[in-house]
Amino acid sequence: MTHTPDLGTAVWRKSSYSEGGDNDCVEVADGYAGLVPVRDSKTPTSRPLLFGSASWQVFVGAVRGE
């Protein structure tokens, strides 16, 4: 059984790779052990995607070209 964390009090931060506009950003929330919640700033009330921390690190590494 998978437990979905309560993200009602999540503090979202914009990706440093976003273009800086208010509506063209990927946002992530920190502080969830083993998970990285991700959402689109254009639809902040939509259900965020949840990624495992290890998978997120692989993704970020690929984006950086590592």
Side-chain angles (χ1 to χ4, degrees), residues 4-66:
T4 302
D6 177 10
L7 299 174
T9 60
V11 177
W12 297 93
R13 62 180 174 87
K14 293 185 190 240
S15 167
S16 61
Y17 286 88
S18 295
E19 294 180 6
D22 290 335
N23 295 319
D24 296 328
C25 301
V26 171
E27 298 176 322
V28 297
D30 299 317
Y32 296 90
L35 292 175
V36 179
V38 180
R39 72 179 185 182
D40 183 342
S41 66
K42 291 186 296 285
T43 57
T45 58
S46 294
R47 181 180 298 175
L49 299 172
L50 299 176
F51 295 93
S53 296
S55 296
W56 184 252
Q57 288 175 349
V58 170
F59 171 75
V60 170
V63 169
R64 290 180 177 162
E66 298 173 356

